[in-house]
Amino acid sequence: MSSVHDWTPNNPVKENRSGLIGKPVDRYEGPLKVTGTAPYAYEVQPPSPPAYGVMVGAAIAAGRITGVDIAEAEATPGVLVVWTHLNAPPQAPRGTKAHPRSSAGSRPALESDRIFFFGQPVALVVGETLEAATAGAHRVKLTYAADTPDVDFRASLDRAVSPSGEEDIEVGDFVRGFTSSPIQVDETWETPIQNHCQMEPCASTVWFEGEKCIAHTSIQMVKPAQHGLAETLGLPRDDVHLLTRYIGGGFGGKGQTYDDLILAALAAKALGRPVKVAYTRQQMMHGTIHRPATVMQVRLGAEKDGRLNAFSMMTWTHCHREGNFTEHASNFARALYAAPNRLTGHRLVKLDLPGAGPMRAPGEASGTLALECAMDELAEKLGLDPVELRIRNEPETDPENGRPFSMRQLVRCLREGAQQFGWDRRLPTPGLVREGRWLVGMGMATAIRGNFLLPAKCSFTVDADGVITVRQGMTDIGTGTYTVLAQIAAETLGVPLGHVKVEIGDSEFPPAPGSGGQFGAATAGSAALAAGQNLRTAIAELATGDEASPLFGGRPVDVTFQDGVIAIENRSETLASLISRAAPEGLTVEGEIKPAQDAREWSQQTYGGHYCEVGVDPVTGEVRVRRMLGVFAAGRILNAKTARSQLTGGMIWGIGSALTEGNAVDTRYGSLINQDLAQYLAPVQADIGDLDAIMLDEVDDKANPMGVKGVGELGNSGAGAAVANAIYNACGVRVRDYPITPDKLLAGLIAKGL
Amino acid sequence: MRAFTYERAGDAKAAVKAAASTPGARFIAGGTNLLDLMKLEIETPAHLIDVSRLNMATIEATLDGGLRIGAATSNSTVAADPQVRARYPVLSQAIVAGGSPQLRNKASVGGNLLQRTRCAYFYDTSKPCNKRAPRTGCSALEGLNRNAAIFGATDHCIATHTSDMAVALTALGANVETLMPSGQSRTLPMLVLHRLPGETPEIETCLETGELITAVVLPPPPPGGQIYRKVRDRASYAGGLASVAVAGRQVALGMVAHKPWRASAVETALASGASPAEAIAVELEGASPLGRNDFKLPLVARLAAAAISEANGRGA
């Protein structure tokens, strides 16, 4: 495909004859998960009894290991092997790509005596049982020469520079536009480090069958994991069979592999038996990536009618000393509001902290916490309703580059949300609504997140029973991938859902990029649609060319597919009878999707509007979300249930960002203070009031052949800002340092004399 | 986790005898705190004595009009008990403000009293902590100590006691019944059960080695309303930033000290006619915040004044 226009002809998903597309179908793998029988990576039963590996994390943030004493660990009953950098098996040097087209290079574990971050895995203890290995791990004695860790982000802002290869983007003359604007907002927001806190920690079960490495791990993207492991072990890539069938949450944190996979493979090789290695909950906080902290300055210059003259958003953030990740918190704003004079950019400082990386709605999640509150502040200065302010700044085309929007229903989302939420009952003056001990307020914010399509393949097999098997090197990180692939297959081939099997998470299946950037369903699903269409053609040709078929002699294009029956007008037979007779071994075809070359000629985003009502206890500064509504426009919805769950899940993340989530750095040690789920406060059920998400009808023909877009990250974008704006409306206090905890809010309440 | 041996005690006397005679022995009931600590090797008992089935899980009225709650009673059972809810609502409210339903179903009354601090540095075994590893220093003192004590702390330890239930019991003037290894029982006021950190924060109660809490005894409820209010960062399953238990004119504060803090200065001031706000101000004159936890002063002042007023019918 070279053009989005090639996608415009009808296809089975668009026609949706049996109505499966969009239906709120229950999760394909739901019964397995709720009965505890879905084998997650650590629970996969290997062919022979496994050994268990437990990692030891560095107790310093920077420096060197100077002494290693593993005698007591080795002597612990049941311990099989203890490794540190001194005796770990050889691995390919970091970054090695023996195969030039590998999608990831070598990433050796226990690489050297150098410590790059607190909690870095520095030893592995393998035992007959998890308990034995854990006991041994507590007995590994390491001594260090610690350097003073360079970890104080707030004290490092003046050292931050533009990320490599990036420049600020200015349109018009921002300073002139801003200074000449009669109404101005110039404020700075801060967000803390956040952890993904997936329910399932990173874990791997690995064994060897001859030369072949069988690796079950918990990962969002199959190919880079397979390639990275092969490169590290120095194996041909085909000698690593990587599987990731069930995944207990990823959120970007499992977009890369960690030492559990490498060490399990090394130990399985060395011991000649299966080995399981998992991060503990505590180890997850430091040992895997996090969303980095940000400082964000937003400047808005407006006319008195609310139209923006000038807009700027600058983000300061941090990444690991050896890393190159940037939290692009200013990027989304480039496509959001009209303003002739615009300046956006980022500043990055490298620190001795664990790796910064992507986390659900990277960029938007942090950035909207600043910009969407700045808009609220501007609306107040203008005496304008915050919804109306956004509508007045709605651009005709992408405000930075002038490209047309593929589809933009932001204003409709905002209006629909305002109406359904009862926004007209909001009093613009803060602090006027009291219910019992609570001050009550409403806030709103815009949601926006880009839309992407990546190359992917998929295979469909129809067997003699008429059952369709979908195979794809795709992942389901809890999002509903299994389910939507089944729906697409059933709709495309005209078979009942129960006649579809979905097999994903396997490096030997046709490759797909995996789950991330909310591109999963659109990308994997478009490849599935292509495979399904190819299988329809193959089946039609088989039937019309088969003398024994009632369809013999007809035109393949006239064949219809419905309820497991293929037909040309009144001539028909079941799919099963055709295949069992004419292709008893089954029929397998592949399909693929590639991005259209002209796709980026349109500005492609998903949109939404968040509306939130909170209560603030003016005595204690406690905030409780009472109700929240999001209205979203994200292309065709494949499954109303899984999409809604994605959106409300994102909104809950926003609530957490606004109120509770954050991990502070103890700069003396370079470590994070919260190391378990009792300390790192993700929202619990009691934090979430009446929550709902509504999806507008939409089909975006520029997105992909199905017209679908992603929803996995959209719900997170802007949600926290709606909470923060509601807090202000409730009590008149703005806290620009997230999360808005009672101590911070209390200071503002006291200052206001409340 | 270190390997350990385990026994289920046949009766309370056998339990205390075994505990006193076995080095490194610890009692276990619900295990909701101890097991977590053992996994991290913060606690490394050599021997566990299970006291969860010792017939100590009854709630019965006492002759003087109070209530005797067996130490093995689950937190959920106490909170839902009709007598507790009717006559000691502050206790019921406090219990359901703590932990999660799962934890409260499993946790015992005795174990709740003996739960250990939630100070993050106590849990991070890579760092000094006088409570976890005596005489190694206090990492929290110069650290991220937003939730540290404002009363009775020392340079050796600034951790708080985080039980909600214990705050209500303290306000109610409860007593704790114990069985000592000698076979004798004794009664300890809640006020003396827990210690301030002093120079030995690893010693948290005045219980002797092997001494077992067998019951909590509530005196008849004092006249006046009762209320428990807890401030926390999230709505459930979170340790408090501060709490207050009010039973008539008896007041206790939580998460402000190494022990549940009976606000005796408040009570004295109220008795001499001070307003709730004036009374709590007197108590807070004795507070020593550390910087990051300064907010606890206004928070406790406002929270306590509101709760005392509400309990005594003066509105929030």
Side-chain angles (χ1 to χ4, degrees):
Chain A
M1 295 274 180
S2 62
S3 168
V4 298
H5 298 296
D6 299 333
W7 295 337
T8 46
N10 254 349
N11 63 49
V13 166
K14 287 185 177 177
E15 292 176 359
N16 197 19
R17 288 177 186 226
S18 54
L20 273 175
I21 302 301
K23 205 172 165 185
V25 173
D26 287 347
R27 287 270 285 269
Y28 178 90
E29 80 289 19
L32 291 178
K33 286 184 172 169
V34 298
T35 56
T37 50
Y40 290 82
Y42 201 73
E43 293 141 13
V44 168
Q45 292 296 317
S48 57
Y52 295 82
V54 171
M55 295 180 286
V56 177
I60 62 167
R64 289 177 187 280
I65 301 169
T66 53
V68 172
D69 176 3
I70 58 173
E72 201 184 328
E74 287 181 322
T76 304
V79 166
L80 299 168
V81 66
V82 181
W83 287 339
T84 67
H85 66 284
L86 296 179
N87 62 341
Q91 301 153 74
R94 183 166 292 271
T96 300
K97 284 190 179 181
H99 192 293
R101 286 173 59 195
S102 282
S103 51
S106 167
R107 56 176 326 282
L110 309 178
E111 194 176 4
S112 75
D113 62 344
R114 286 281 306 277
I115 304 298
F116 294 99
F117 61 91
F118 183 94
Q120 172 188 323
V122 288
L124 176 77
V125 178
V126 185
E128 289 285 354
T129 62
L130 175 63
E131 291 75 15
T134 303
H138 280 285
R139 272 144 204 81
V140 172
K141 296 194 185 83
L142 300 172
T143 48
Y144 302 95
D147 299 333
T148 302
D150 177 15
V151 291
D152 191 342
F153 172 55
R154 290 288 293 139
S156 310
L157 298 183
D158 54 354
R159 284 195 280 136
V161 296
S162 290
S164 173
E166 291 184 27
E167 290 178 2
D168 297 345
I169 295 183
E170 182 160 24
V171 176
D173 184 336
F174 168 73
V175 171
R176 181 181 292 184
F178 181 70
T179 52
S180 66
S181 294
I183 312 291
Q184 298 175 349
V185 169
D186 180 354
E187 296 291 351
T188 299
W189 283 261
E190 295 179 42
T191 60
I193 285 175
Q194 291 182 340
N195 295 97
H196 301 74
C197 296
Q198 304 95 334
M199 288 289 285
E200 179 206 19
C202 293
S204 299
T205 298
V206 183
W207 66 89
F208 280 80
E209 292 176 0
E211 292 302 302
K212 190 146 186 171
C213 175
I214 313 297
H216 290 261
T217 191
S218 183
I219 188 80
Q220 291 173 231
M221 287 134 183
V222 172
K223 277 289 159 190
Q226 179 203 15
H227 293 174
L229 179 57
E231 293 289 358
T232 307
L233 300 183
L235 293 175
R237 298 188 307 183
D238 288 347
D239 279 356
V240 171
H241 185 183
L242 190 120
L243 300 108
T244 181
R245 291 275 166 77
Y246 301 102
I247 301 159
F251 312 119
K254 292 176 184 169
Q256 64 175 81
T257 58
Y258 300 97
D259 288 356
D260 59 308
L261 177 63
I262 304 299
L263 290 170
L266 290 171
K269 181 92 179 160
L271 294 171
R273 63 189 280 194
V275 174
K276 295 174 184 254
V277 179
Y279 279 76
T280 65
R281 176 59 61 192
Q282 285 79 9
Q283 288 172 340
M284 286 296 288
M285 296 291 184
H286 290 98
T288 67
I289 58 169
H290 57 258
R291 192 198 301 281
T294 65
V295 171
M296 298 172 285
Q297 182 189 24
V298 179
R299 285 171 289 176
L300 303 174
E303 295 296 329
K304 287 181 177 164
D305 65 2
R307 282 179 303 116
L308 287 168
N309 272 330
F311 148 76
S312 171
M313 183 163 178
M314 298 299 295
T315 298
W316 287 256
T317 185
H318 61 86
C319 77
H320 183 247
R321 177 82 57 211
E322 306 292 318
N324 57 8
F325 177 83
T326 302
E327 184 73 31
H328 283 116
S330 302
N331 274 7
F332 77 98
R334 292 169 174 163
L336 192 48
Y337 299 121
N341 303 293
R342 320 169 62 85
L343 174 65
T344 49
H346 301 88
R347 300 289 181 269
L348 182 66
V349 61
K350 300 200 173 188
L351 299 172
D352 298 323
L353 287 170
M359 179 164 153
R360 198 173 194 175
E364 287 86 351
S366 307
T368 52
L369 287 166
L371 177 61
E372 286 303 295
C373 291
M375 288 294 280
D376 201 67
E377 298 195 23
L378 179 62
E380 187 187 29
K381 285 191 176 182
L382 290 160
L384 200 59
D385 184 272
V387 178
E388 179 60 25
L389 173 64
R390 286 160 173 91
I391 292 171
R392 286 193 191 176
N393 287 289
E394 175 70 2
E396 294 276 317
T397 59
D398 187 292
E400 184 177 276
N401 53 39
R403 287 181 192 142
F405 295 113
S406 62
M407 178 70 67
R408 177 163 166 130
Q409 296 205 77
L410 171 58
V411 170
R412 217 185 124 202
C413 289
L414 296 176
R415 289 202 164 120
E416 189 83 24
Q419 188 186 2
Q420 300 224 15
F421 191 74
W423 181 251
D424 58 341
R425 295 201 299 274
R426 171 183 180 267
L427 302 180
T429 305
L432 296 183
V433 181
R434 185 154 194 141
E435 286 183 23
R437 65 184 242 230
W438 300 97
L439 289 169
V440 179
M442 294 189 203
M444 59 78 57
T446 293
I448 181 173
R449 169 73 184 161
N451 185 63
F452 309 95
L453 180 70
L454 301 179
K457 293 182 179 175
C458 185
S459 79
F460 273 34
T461 299
V462 57
D463 65 21
D465 295 325
V467 171
I468 311 295
T469 301
V470 179
R471 290 193 179 87
Q472 193 174 39
M474 181 55 190
T475 57
D476 187 329
I477 57 174
T479 45
T481 314
Y482 275 108
T483 317
V484 298
L485 289 176
Q487 288 172 273
I488 292 167
E491 184 60 56
T492 305
L493 275 307
V495 299
L497 260 182
H499 286 203
V500 178
K501 288 200 292 187
V502 181
E503 296 179 359
I504 59 174
D506 189 319
S507 62
E508 301 195 340
F509 293 161
S515 304
Q518 77 172 19
F519 54 66
T523 297
S526 295
L529 170 62
Q533 288 180 283
N534 291 344
L535 184 57
R536 277 173 71 108
T537 303
I539 291 168
E541 287 173 351
L542 185 67
T544 54
D546 176 15
E547 290 181 10
S549 173
L551 281 63
F552 177 69
R555 294 195 311 163
V557 293
D558 293 334
V559 177
T560 60
F561 294 73
Q562 195 170 359
D563 299 329
V565 174
I566 53 173
I568 299 178
E569 294 177 343
N570 61 355
R571 293 185 286 153
S572 68
E573 69 171 324
T574 64
L575 193 51
S577 80
L578 169 73
I579 301 300
S580 59
R581 182 184 65 245
E585 301 298 307
L587 201 55
T588 297
V589 302
E590 281 202 5
E592 74 176 305
I593 185 72
K594 288 180 178 169
Q597 285 171 358
D598 56 0
R600 294 293 136 193
E601 290 175 17
W602 287 267
S603 179
Q604 289 195 25
Q605 327 284 339
T606 58
Y607 299 95
H610 295 281
Y611 290 83
C612 180
E613 180 181 293
V614 303
V616 174
D617 185 336
V619 171
T620 63
E622 287 171 290
V623 177
R624 296 290 178 259
V625 172
R626 294 156 61 100
R627 60 194 185 98
M628 192 160 181
L629 173 70
V631 177
F632 302 97
R636 184 195 307 277
I637 298 302
L638 289 168
N639 181 320
K641 181 181 281 186
T642 57
R644 181 182 175 278
S645 293
Q646 285 288 291
L647 289 163
T648 53
M651 292 164 74
I652 291 168
W653 275 51
I655 294 170
S657 296
L659 298 180
T660 56
E661 285 186 58
N663 217 337
V665 175
D666 187 325
T667 54
R668 299 168 302 168
Y669 303 105
S671 61
L672 301 167
I673 187 75
N674 300 321
Q675 299 184 21
D676 58 42
L677 297 182
Q679 302 273 1
Y680 184 93
L681 301 182
V684 296
Q685 187 68 35
D687 290 294
I688 309 303
D690 178 7
L691 178 72
D692 201 4
I694 293 169
M695 293 155 277
L696 298 184
D697 282 340
E698 183 175 296
V699 176
D700 190 336
D701 281 333
K702 309 296 187 300
N704 50 65
M706 301 187 295
V708 312
K709 296 196 275 195
V711 293
E713 296 177 323
L714 177 62
N716 193 2
S717 171
V723 177
N725 292 337
I727 291 170
Y728 177 75
N729 184 245
C731 68
V733 176
R734 291 208 192 267
V735 175
R736 300 187 187 88
D737 174 18
Y738 292 99
I740 306 173
T741 47
D743 49 332
K744 296 175 192 170
L745 198 52
L746 189 62
L749 290 164
I750 292 169
K752 282 189 74 75
L754 283 168
Chain B
M1 188 182 284
R2 297 269 177 95
F4 58 89
T5 52
Y6 169 90
E7 70 172 284
R8 189 179 295 165
D11 60 49
K13 283 191 172 157
V16 294
K17 194 168 283 180
S21 60
T22 314
R26 292 289 308 269
F27 296 121
I28 184 166
T32 55
N33 190 208
L34 183 61
L35 287 178
D36 281 351
L37 296 168
M38 288 169 65
K39 287 176 190 172
L40 297 169
E41 295 204 0
I42 294 166
E43 296 258 16
T44 53
H47 184 66
L48 289 183
I49 301 163
D50 189 338
V51 295
S52 64
R53 301 166 210 224
L54 293 187
N55 204 17
M56 300 193 304
T58 54
I59 301 176
E60 56 204 8
T62 59
L63 291 176
D64 69 347
L67 210 57
R68 186 176 185 280
I69 300 169
T73 316
S74 80
N75 286 199
S76 298
T77 302
V78 178
D81 183 82
Q83 298 178 84
V84 172
R85 290 177 58 161
R87 301 177 63 217
Y88 304 95
V90 65
L91 178 58
S92 185
Q93 290 168 23
I95 289 172
V96 297
S100 67
Q102 295 91 330
L103 290 169
R104 297 193 294 269
N105 287 341
K106 196 79 185 128
S108 69
V109 166
N112 186 317
L113 291 174
L114 299 181
Q115 68 178 286
R116 308 203 67 191
T117 185
R118 301 283 162 180
C119 176
Y121 296 98
F122 175 69
Y123 274 82
D124 182 347
T125 54
S126 74
K127 303 195 173 40
C129 170
N130 288 322
K131 183 181 283 298
R132 171 171 33 80
R135 290 168 300 285
T136 55
C138 173
S139 305
L141 195 59
E142 304 289 330
L144 299 171
N145 54 24
R146 166 178 177 255
N147 209 359
I150 56 173
F151 292 112
T154 64
D155 282 358
H156 299 274
C157 184
I158 59 173
T160 61
H161 196 267
T162 45
S163 166
D164 293 285
M165 185 191 78
V167 183
L169 292 177
T170 300
L172 289 166
N175 288 308
V176 174
E177 284 183 3
T178 71
L179 186 65
M180 295 200 286
S182 64
Q184 285 195 311
S185 56
R186 65 168 171 164
T187 299
L188 297 165
M190 272 298 292
L191 274 181
V192 305
L193 175 66
H194 298 96
R195 295 160 39 101
L196 287 173
E199 296 185 2
T200 53
E202 72 277 17
I203 305 171
E204 294 169 350
T205 69
C206 63
L207 298 179
E208 292 177 11
T209 301
E211 189 172 359
L212 177 68
I213 296 176
T214 53
V216 168
V217 181
L218 302 176
Q226 297 181 16
I227 192 167
Y228 186 75
R229 292 262 319 257
K230 173 187 185 181
V231 180
R232 45 188 153 173
D233 287 323
R234 72 178 167 192
S236 179
Y237 183 41
L241 300 170
S243 77
V244 58
V246 184
R249 293 302 180 96
Q250 296 169 206
V251 181
L253 304 172
M255 299 97 201
V256 293
H258 197 255
K259 58 186 289 185
W261 191 257
R262 182 80 181 247
S264 49
V266 170
E267 296 173 7
T268 306
L270 288 174
S272 56
S275 71
E278 291 163 349
I280 188 65
V282 176
E283 187 78 43
L284 287 166
E285 283 172 12
S288 320
L290 299 153
R292 285 189 172 92
N293 66 350
D294 286 0
F295 74 94
K296 286 196 175 188
L297 268 61
L299 178 61
V300 168
R302 295 156 73 97
L303 178 71
I308 295 166
S309 297
E310 195 177 335
N312 290 281
R314 293 192 217 167

